[in-house]
Amino acid sequence: MKKTSLNRREFLTRTAQRGALVASGGLLWAYLLQQQAQATATAIRPPGALAEADFNASCIKCGQCVRACPYDTLKLAPVGDTAAIGTPYFTPREVPCYMCEDIPCKQACPTGALTPQLSRINDSRMGLAVIDIENCLSWQGLRCEICHRECPVQGKAISVEHHPRKLSKHAMFVPLVHSEACTGCGICEKACPTDEAAIRVVPPDLVQGKIGSHYRLGWKNEAGITKDFKPAAKIKSPDDQPAGGLDYLNKGEL
Amino acid sequence: MNTAAKENKLGPNGKPVRPFVMPKSMRGKLSVWRYLIYRRTLQITILLLFYGTAHWGWNIAETPIIVGNLSASKLLGFIPLADPFASLQIMFTRHMPQNELLIGAAIVLGFYALIGGRVWCSWVCPINMVSDLAAWLRKRLHINDNFRLSKQLRYSVLILTLLLSTITGLAAFEWVSPISMFHRELIFGVGMGWTAILGIFLFDLLVQRDGWCGRICPLGAFYALVGKLALLRIGFDAPTCTHCCECIKVCPEPAVLNFSKAAQQGMIISGECTNCGRCITVCPEDTLQFRYRFKTSTHQPAHSNPRLTTGE
């Protein structure tokens, strides 16, 4: 009997030890993963990449997209790189995406992390170009507009607009990015002639705001607000009665 | 029986126990090392094929030989291959991969299910070169274990991998796997992944014998389960065995060499056996040989391997 209980104690201790080892290791591991999963995504992904969380889950890190790219745009992030470990990304200032019509990187992906649903490269949203107007040559009044001319979705993703110049008769021609057409290919960033690119591609989540559906921009949509606009129905309350009090001056009581 | 045999211990079969002696001739040595040489050749060739296809444009009739890495690849432009364990992790994150990956994983899984799951470990996995080196050095330097981790730990790590994949939504092992870091960085550009490899080397050398491959790695545990029913086995010809235990000394998974079990089955049946062939070449009695699982055992007259017992 004594021997049995000792064995049971040994068994329980050993089980607890093993459990503790696995649990503590597992917790550390979970922290590491959780941190990776929730880290702010700053990498620009290949065309057709799923939303960052789904992409990170689905990508098997095989690099077939990297090899399929004819321009050597894509890289697989090694350990210690800025992008999440082993996943494909590109740095537009070095080599942008040249927007192949047949999207070979997407075709090479075995998992669907680069979604097969992307059929036209112009529909891809790798990132969004943003302009630093303090350092953009055009915004300083020079005639540059290189980004506009290099843009593969020319005229739609980047337009050039008139902009008044202080105290001068001459207008400025300034580039503006339109998110509904910008694919985030980064050709503009690559082409920007300033020392540090004044137009840059970033993940849209990092820079894009959201107005909120309760704002009605009537002047943007003629059919929208004016047609079915009705003033709010008046709520009847005791306060709706003409104010009482001292109105004797008007009533000629004096 | 000669006089020398009387001085020596006798095996359970009544034959003298002869120790393994490393042959002095180069031919003999090469014969002892032959599976090691085959394994290294295969491991390096596979990495080289990936690298050559990626960087030197290796192709057959304009078709790239093999594109990708050991996680997933495309052979000869149309055969998909994929790591079944990585694919399983992706599925546990509740993401269904495309058919191409599933087919690739099924091909690889089928292959290893036939020839032995852990054939991956000793014949393909590049980490095997690191852990083998550590094990060899450890033996040379007579380093003892710091502490002992259970050989069963890897199965807990395997379950943990799938659990964490579901909880965090990331393929848990793929995000920390030194195996993937190793081949990925060799093929696609080097980063800090070598630090993980160094970690495994030091752990195996100084902390725990066969620590990574034999106790922690969940991929090895996965393939051990896959290989349970495999057809290619190390056959065990019980009547010739003298229990000299030379095989156990070289085996990285000594628990699989259970003589009584092996005698019953006529072969090593454990899924944890990596089919590395180390035991075959050191066995002085030729008791151990690769064999097909369902071949009825042939009791040949006991023949010994004179080269290994006389050292000629």
Side-chain angles (χ1 to χ4, degrees):
Chain A
M1 281 304 285
K2 203 180 174 189
K3 199 170 184 244
T4 319
S5 70
L6 200 80
N7 276 347
R8 184 190 293 150
R9 168 174 286 192
E10 245 171 40
F11 170 77
L12 287 176
T13 313
R14 199 160 288 180
T15 311
Q17 281 173 328
R18 237 174 244 176
L21 180 67
V22 172
S24 50
L27 275 176
L28 276 177
W29 191 358
Y31 296 150
L32 194 83
L33 289 174
Q34 205 66 31
Q35 202 171 17
Q36 289 264 21
Q38 291 172 352
T40 312
T42 52
I44 305 298
R45 299 295 186 197
L50 300 173
E52 190 71 5
D54 294 324
F55 181 79
N56 283 341
S58 304
C59 174
I60 200 167
K61 312 174 188 2
C62 68
Q64 292 189 63
C65 54
V66 174
R67 290 297 160 227
C69 176
Y71 299 101
D72 284 340
T73 298
L74 299 173
K75 270 195 284 190
L76 274 197
V79 183
D81 205 334
T82 48
I85 178 170
T87 53
Y89 74 104
F90 67 102
T91 312
R93 187 66 162 169
E94 285 163 20
V95 192
C97 169
Y98 287 103
M99 308 239 291
C100 312
E101 301 227 317
D102 53 346
I103 325 180
C105 48
K106 178 214 73 173
Q107 285 184 24
C109 179
T111 63
L114 305 180
T115 178
Q117 283 156 15
L118 179 72
S119 52
R120 294 186 321 135
I121 186 66
N122 278 8
D123 293 337
S124 63
R125 291 292 177 271
M126 297 170 260
L128 177 63
V130 289
I131 298 171
D132 170 11
I133 61 172
E134 290 180 348
N135 288 296
C136 170
L137 295 179
S138 294
W139 278 90
Q140 306 313 307
L142 299 172
R143 294 299 305 273
C144 172
E145 300 134 35
I146 287 176
C147 53
H148 165 69
R149 274 177 277 121
E150 291 284 324
C151 178
V153 203
Q154 204 175 25
K156 289 181 187 153
I158 302 178
S159 63
V160 168
E161 312 283 341
H162 299 265
H163 190 77
R165 191 196 307 242
K166 284 176 201 164
L167 300 178
S168 165
K169 284 187 276 189
H170 303 288
M172 298 197 294
F173 294 95
V174 297
L176 283 182
V177 179
H178 305 280
S179 64
E180 72 271 12
C182 176
T183 64
C185 68
I187 290 175
C188 54
E189 183 176 338
K190 171 77 176 166
C192 183
T194 52
D195 281 356
E196 301 280 341
I199 184 165
R200 290 190 191 195
V201 173
V202 291
D205 294 353
L206 290 188
V207 288
Q208 232 174 350
K210 192 182 172 206
I211 292 181
S213 54
H214 57 292
Y215 287 96
R216 297 269 183 122
L217 310 181
W219 59 95
K220 279 198 167 177
N221 185 357
E222 286 177 12
I225 195 162
T226 47
K227 210 167 134 194
D228 54 320
F229 176 77
K230 285 185 196 115
K234 212 165 181 197
I235 300 164
K236 292 221 161 152
S237 77
D239 297 347
D240 291 342
Q241 300 299 321
L246 303 176
D247 205 15
Y248 55 89
L249 288 177
N250 293 328
K251 288 181 177 168
E253 281 182 17
L254 269 181
Chain B
M1 255 180 221
N2 55 30
T3 46
K6 272 178 193 159
E7 291 163 22
N8 288 338
K9 267 171 60 184
L10 294 182
N13 59 358
K15 299 220 177 78
V17 178
R18 296 177 293 182
F20 164 73
V21 182
M22 188 56 141
K24 289 199 182 75
S25 71
M26 202 54 202
R27 256 193 76 208
K29 281 193 170 112
L30 285 177
S31 165
V32 170
W33 294 331
R34 66 184 185 276
Y35 288 119
L36 179 70
I37 295 168
Y38 298 157
R39 291 193 292 121
R40 289 293 173 271
T41 311
L42 188 65
Q43 281 158 345
I44 292 168
T45 307
I46 288 173
L47 285 179
L48 209 60
L49 281 178
F50 279 118
Y51 193 90
T53 310
H55 297 278
W56 304 319
W58 284 3
N59 61 78
I60 295 172
E62 305 280 298
T63 310
I65 296 175
I66 188 161
V67 182
N69 59 27
L70 287 166
S71 298
S73 60
K74 199 169 259 181
L75 181 63
L76 300 175
F78 73 99
I79 305 171
L81 298 172
D83 176 347
F85 185 49
S87 311
L88 188 68
Q89 291 169 62
I90 292 177
M91 285 190 258
F92 266 76
T93 66
R94 282 158 292 177
H95 287 80
M96 199 56 191
Q98 258 169 230
N99 287 343
E100 185 185 335
L101 194 82
L102 298 180
I103 294 168
I107 292 174
V108 173
L109 196 65
F111 176 76
Y112 286 119
L114 280 183
I115 66 156
R118 294 200 68 202
V119 163
W120 152 267
C121 298
S122 63
W123 290 80
V124 181
C125 181
I127 290 289
N128 178 257
M129 297 189 258
V130 178
S131 55
D132 271 3
L133 177 67
W136 176 79
L137 254 181
R138 164 185 275 272
K139 208 173 265 182
R140 272 290 170 103
L141 303 173
H142 306 290
I143 298 169
N144 292 323
D145 286 348
N146 260 5
F147 59 89
R148 283 188 64 79
L149 290 172
S150 164
K151 283 263 179 192
Q152 303 304 314
L153 178 64
R154 54 186 148 187
Y155 297 106
S156 305
V157 179
L158 173 64
I159 294 168
L160 203 58
T161 305
L162 299 179
L163 196 69
L164 289 182
S165 299
T166 309
I167 294 173
T168 63
L170 293 175
F173 185 57
E174 291 315 296
W175 280 68
V176 295
S177 164
I179 305 165
S180 304
M181 283 177 205
F182 195 9
H183 61 72
R184 199 166 53 226
E185 295 197 4
L186 278 182
I187 300 166
F188 288 95
V190 178
M192 297 298 288
W194 62 271
T195 51
I197 314 309
L198 183 69
I200 288 186
F201 176 76
L202 293 177
F203 183 71
D204 271 19
L205 175 67
L206 299 169
V207 183
Q208 168 77 74
R209 176 176 183 229
D210 300 320
W212 172 258
C213 299
R215 293 162 213 270
I216 297 175
C217 179
L219 184 58
F222 172 80
Y223 275 127
L225 298 178
V226 168
K228 272 213 175 334
L229 301 173
L231 298 180
L232 183 67
R233 292 284 166 184
I234 306 285
F236 183 79
D237 186 19
T240 58
C241 177
T242 62
H243 289 203
C244 67
C245 296
E246 295 291 353
C247 50
I248 291 179
K249 285 183 208 156
V250 294
C251 183
E253 296 282 348
V256 308
L257 283 161
N258 181 328
F259 290 141
S260 58
K261 239 188 204 171
Q264 261 175 32
Q265 310 268 8
M267 64 189 123
I268 308 300
I269 211 77
S270 170
E272 282 154 18
C273 171
T274 68
N275 277 358
C276 67
R278 281 182 181 87
C279 55
I280 295 174
T281 57
V282 298
C283 179
E285 317 294 343
D286 272 354
T287 300
L288 297 152
Q289 290 295 338
F290 275 121
R291 69 166 266 201
Y292 172 66
R293 183 172 197 148
F294 295 114
K295 198 175 143 197
T296 44
S297 69
T298 49
H299 279 290
Q300 291 163 342
H303 56 289
S304 63
N305 188 342
R307 219 174 31 236
L308 299 186
T309 47
T310 58
E312 272 158 20

